[in-house]
Amino acid sequence: MDITDEQAKAMTSAGLNLIAQALTIYDEQLKLVVCNAPFQHMFSLPDRLVTPGATFQETIHHLATRGEYGPVDDIDSFVTERINQALAFAPHYMERTRANGHTISVEGSPLPQGGWVTVYTDITATKAQEKLLHARSDALSDQVLAHAEQLSATNRERAAMITTLEETKRQLTESEARTRLTTEMLPAHIAHVNAAGRYTFSNQRLPHIMPGRPTTIVGLYIADALGAFAYDRIKPALDRAYGGAPAVTEFTDDTTARRIRAAFTPDGQNGVYILSTDITEETQTRVALQQTRKRELAAQVISGLAHDFSNLLTIILGMQSRLARQSDLAPEAQKLIEGTLAAARRGGALLSSIANLTGPRTLRPEATDPAQLLADLTTLAKPTLPAGITLSTDNQMPDAPVLLDKGRLTDCLLNLILNARDACGAAGRIHIALRHVHDTWIEWSVTDDGPGFSASALEQGIDPFFTTKGSEGSGLGLSMVYDLTKSAGGDLRLRNSAEGGATVVLRLPYRMALPDTAGLVLLVEDDGDIRANVRDMLMALGHSVIEATSADEASALLADLPDIALVLSDIQLVGEGTGLDLADRISGQTPLVLMTSLPTDHALYLAAQQVAPVLRKPFDTTDLTALIAPHKVAAQ
């Protein structure tokens, strides 16, 4: 059974009333917060002075007027002096004899949050024992008597000090617990290693940043906790920190394929503080942005050249066509004209390829069955292969749809297969493997048993116009594949296999597809006309719809309605929050689709692609259905 605040207060009050000593707590404004019944009984105070909010000044004035402190010439001055002493908030211990003949000890201690607590103890019996000791002083030496009195007073002071220390210890323990809880909630691993390289502190977040590592690492050597590969990557930066210089490094963890950033700060005592964060999504966004900027620069340079080159080709084609229509040309001249026309047309095709490579492109991810994509790819590729080349596949992906730009990915994989075919010649083997890498990547690898990549191909293979096929190659195939992977925040690697042959590894960010079931959809759009249009599309797909115009309004609805199955939000909304802010608040708890009319090179658009599927405006029911209800598209 949960205890209410009122019940807790009642239980606390009952407990305080059972204490033999009188107790009071005043806040920093000298107003009573709480006191127990012995306090009222000890000083015979009226109810108004033991009610929370009663002032310290009123209580002292009442006691002084009543003679609690003996004869007082100027009560107002006496009260002012006691108030000034109280405002100093200094720990103190004192003993005094009251007007009624009883002796009390008074021990006070300030509180960390302001105000102070005071405990009053009746020590009349203790004092009586001391008087008895004086009465028998003829049997004791003066030195023993003085020592006994000093020991008695010291014991009381020590008891007061112990009480203060225990309270301080409690406060420190609570503070440490709050600090540890805070560090354990951070999305980062915070740790400290001593001069010997052993952990002395950890917020236990290491396995959240680098899965597979132990949770409890205090006392472990850093190389044992991280593993040899990761330790080798961070060791140069760690050594610089041991040398007294802060250092930051980034590396890709070999076992999880996550990108990790580690910052090292010297502690001034031959130890090092370590802050490690997972920057995989940040890196994917950064890579996509870099590729977009490269495309922009290439487009700016090439567009001018392509314009002039296209004009020249147009003139060449026109002049050669006129020559071809002349009837008195020799057969050899006719062949030269045909060769010139073929070269000019090939130049035009090359210009189109360059335009496709450098021009603006929009990724259009849709729910895709990896197994079906692999089967379709095999169907398309096999007719292009000679009889002596076999094509095999290995699918290790979970049986669940993922978000991919199926058309562009198929083009890229076909390009890799055709490159492998050309490398194998008339006979050989091509193998396509598909696997899921630690909830981070979808990895495609295309391997052949040809001669493998040359040293120059490994170094320059993805550069535009680099080819090993002579006049038969355009040098744009791998560049196109590289452009797709980088635009999506992925990675492309070329390597030679240990058994011989070449391998191209293509990695794309892993994004789970949206559940293909009708449910309650939260539509977040600040334009009323667009909102009505999209609402009709969703309802036509069988969904129920609720609407919001801002990130704050959407957050409130998500908190109140746990049955929301999907959030469809514009990136730019009214108010300060954006669709990206809404994505942060959702934190993957509810499926999310973002929509926008921003250009594909806009920073918000690039960032959005890394956190959720993005629908480009304008879109129609077919586009929306392809993303959130792919089986309905197939049925049509």
Side-chain angles (χ1 to χ4, degrees):
M1 180 182 69
D2 294 334
I3 299 176
T4 65
D5 290 342
E6 291 300 324
Q7 290 174 322
K9 290 179 181 178
M11 294 173 68
T12 301
S13 178
L16 291 176
N17 290 337
L18 292 175
I19 299 174
Q21 290 94 341
L23 177 142
T24 62
I25 298 178
Y26 284 88
D27 63 18
E28 66 275 8
Q29 296 178 347
L30 304 186
K31 291 183 179 181
L32 183 66
V33 177
V34 68
C35 69
N36 61 356
F39 175 66
Q40 184 176 18
H41 297 154
M42 179 178 286
F43 298 106
S44 301
L45 296 172
D47 290 343
R48 64 181 178 83
L49 295 181
V50 294
T51 301
T55 65
F56 182 73
Q57 178 182 0
E58 291 175 328
T59 303
I60 296 299
H61 194 281
H62 173 82
L63 292 174
T65 304
R66 203 182 61 190
E68 172 69 25
Y69 303 103
V72 177
D73 296 332
D74 187 346
I75 291 180
D76 290 338
S77 298
F78 177 81
V79 172
T80 300
E81 181 182 355
R82 295 300 298 271
I83 290 175
N84 291 335
Q85 290 175 353
L87 289 173
F89 297 110
H92 60 275
Y93 175 85
M94 60 175 290
E95 297 176 2
R96 69 177 179 86
T97 301
R98 301 175 60 199
N100 62 3
H102 285 244
T103 302
I104 61 172
S105 66
V106 184
E107 48 188 290
S109 177
L111 297 175
Q113 58 268 46
W116 82 94
V117 59
T118 306
V119 177
Y120 306 85
T121 306
D122 191 328
I123 58 172
T124 304
T126 303
K127 283 298 184 179
Q129 292 178 358
E130 291 178 356
K131 288 181 179 180
L132 180 61
L133 187 62
H134 276 290
R136 297 178 179 177
S137 61
D138 55 342
L140 299 171
S141 68
D142 292 340
Q143 183 178 1
V144 173
L145 179 61
H147 177 71
E149 291 177 347
Q150 182 181 4
L151 182 60
S152 179
T154 301
N155 285 340
R156 289 194 294 272
E157 291 179 3
R158 286 181 176 175
M161 184 179 297
I162 289 171
T163 301
T164 301
L165 290 175
E166 287 179 347
E167 175 61 21
T168 302
K169 178 182 177 181
R170 186 185 67 80
Q171 293 288 340
L172 289 174
T173 301
E174 290 183 357
S175 177
E176 180 184 2
R178 287 193 296 269
T179 301
R180 179 172 290 277
L181 178 62
T182 300
T183 60
E184 290 178 358
M185 292 175 64
L186 292 174
H189 179 228
I190 302 172
H192 178 269
V193 292
N194 60 19
R198 295 191 178 276
Y199 286 100
T200 62
F201 171 81
S202 167
N203 67 342
Q204 300 184 343
R205 297 287 296 178
L206 180 60
H208 296 272
I209 303 303
M210 302 172 67
R213 272 60 172 192
T215 300
T216 304
I217 60 174
V218 173
L220 290 182
Y221 184 56
I222 185 170
D224 296 334
L226 299 182
F229 179 89
Y231 179 71
D232 288 343
R233 298 302 184 276
I234 61 106
K235 189 176 185 302
L238 179 62
D239 289 342
R240 289 198 297 274
Y242 274 129
V248 178
T249 188
E250 293 183 8
F251 67 96
T252 300
D253 184 33
D254 62 330
T255 59
T256 64
R258 294 188 179 184
R259 190 70 177 172
I260 308 298
R261 177 182 294 141
F264 303 87
T265 304
D267 66 0
Q269 300 177 352
N270 297 323
V272 175
Y273 290 103
I274 306 174
L275 175 66
S276 305
T277 52
D278 182 352
I279 59 167
T280 304
E281 289 191 2
E282 175 188 332
T283 302
Q284 292 171 353
T285 303
R286 186 172 63 207
V287 167
L289 181 59
Q290 289 172 345
Q291 182 64 13
T292 299
R293 288 175 177 169
K294 289 179 182 178
R295 288 164 59 91
E296 288 177 351
L297 180 60
Q300 291 173 0
V301 173
I302 291 173
S303 61
L305 296 175
H307 178 269
D308 294 340
F309 193 30
S310 296
N311 289 339
L312 290 174
L313 288 176
T314 301
I315 295 172
I316 292 172
L317 286 170
M319 294 178 66
Q320 292 299 310
S321 297
R322 289 175 61 185
L323 284 173
R325 289 195 295 269
Q326 295 184 11
S327 58
D328 57 345
L329 288 177
E332 293 79 5
Q334 190 66 38
K335 291 181 180 180
L336 291 175
I337 292 172
E338 291 175 357
T340 303
L341 289 172
R345 292 190 183 101
R346 188 173 176 217
L350 184 60
L351 281 179
S352 298
S353 298
I354 294 173
N356 289 334
L357 186 64
T358 60
R361 281 188 173 187
T362 301
L363 288 174
R364 292 191 176 276
E366 57 184 276
T368 303
D369 181 356
Q372 187 61 47
L373 189 150
L374 194 58
D376 293 343
L377 180 68
T378 303
T379 301
L380 290 172
K382 278 189 174 181
T384 68
L385 303 178
I389 294 181
T390 60
L391 177 64
S392 60
T393 61
D394 179 20
N395 179 19
Q396 299 179 21
M397 282 287 293
D399 186 17
V402 294
L403 291 174
L404 294 169
D405 188 332
K406 184 164 58 176
R408 290 187 65 187
L409 178 59
T410 300
D411 289 344
C412 290
L413 292 172
L414 278 174
N415 187 287
L416 297 180
I417 292 171
L418 295 178
N419 283 349
R421 176 202 65 183
D422 295 342
C424 290
R429 184 177 65 87
I430 301 173
H431 181 69
I432 305 173
L434 173 61
R435 70 187 184 109
H436 179 209
V437 183
H438 297 290
D439 285 333
T440 306
W441 304 104
I442 300 173
E443 182 181 275
W444 302 77
S445 60
V446 179
T447 302
D448 64 64
D449 60 358
F453 289 112
S454 65
S456 58
L458 286 173
E459 183 178 353
Q460 302 173 265
I462 60 175
D463 293 346
F465 308 114
F466 177 85
T467 180
T468 57
K469 300 179 183 179
S471 60
E472 296 180 0
S474 66
L476 294 175
L478 275 179
S479 295
M480 180 189 71
V481 179
Y482 179 80
D483 177 64
L484 165 71
T485 58
K486 291 300 180 180
S487 297
D491 190 28
L492 183 71
R493 299 179 183 179
L494 312 181
R495 65 169 183 256
N496 287 324
S497 305
E499 302 81 8
T503 298
V504 180
V505 178
L506 185 157
R507 281 182 172 179
L508 296 175
Y510 177 76
R511 298 277 185 268
M512 283 288 294
L514 303 172
D516 185 17
T517 55
L520 180 60
V521 176
L522 172 56
L523 174 60
V524 191
E525 168 63 61
D526 55 1
D527 186 293
D529 293 337
I530 296 178
R531 195 166 61 247
N533 230 1
V534 178
R535 180 184 61 231
D536 292 343
M537 294 183 194
L538 290 168
M539 293 179 68
L541 294 174
H543 295 282
S544 302
V545 182
I546 57 172
E547 302 171 19
T549 60
S550 68
D552 292 339
E553 186 181 355
S555 299
L557 288 172
L558 284 165
D560 293 338
L561 299 172
D563 296 333
I564 293 176
L566 172 68
V567 178
L568 177 59
S569 174
D570 194 11
I571 293 178
Q572 294 177 302
L573 302 167
V574 297
E576 296 183 358
T578 66
L580 295 177
D581 295 321
L582 182 59
D584 288 338
R585 298 173 191 177
I586 293 175
S587 298
Q589 297 178 6
T590 305
L592 171 70
V593 174
L594 294 171
M595 52 185 177
T596 187
S597 57
L598 291 170
T600 57
D601 58 352
H602 194 283
L604 284 177
Y605 182 90
L606 294 171
Q609 283 190 308
Q610 307 310 312
V611 299
V614 180
L615 268 174
R616 289 278 298 152
K617 295 179 180 178
F619 58 85
D620 56 20
T621 304
T622 302
D623 298 323
L624 181 61
T625 305
L627 194 59
I628 69 173
H631 296 306
K632 295 183 179 180
V633 175
Q636 295 173 2

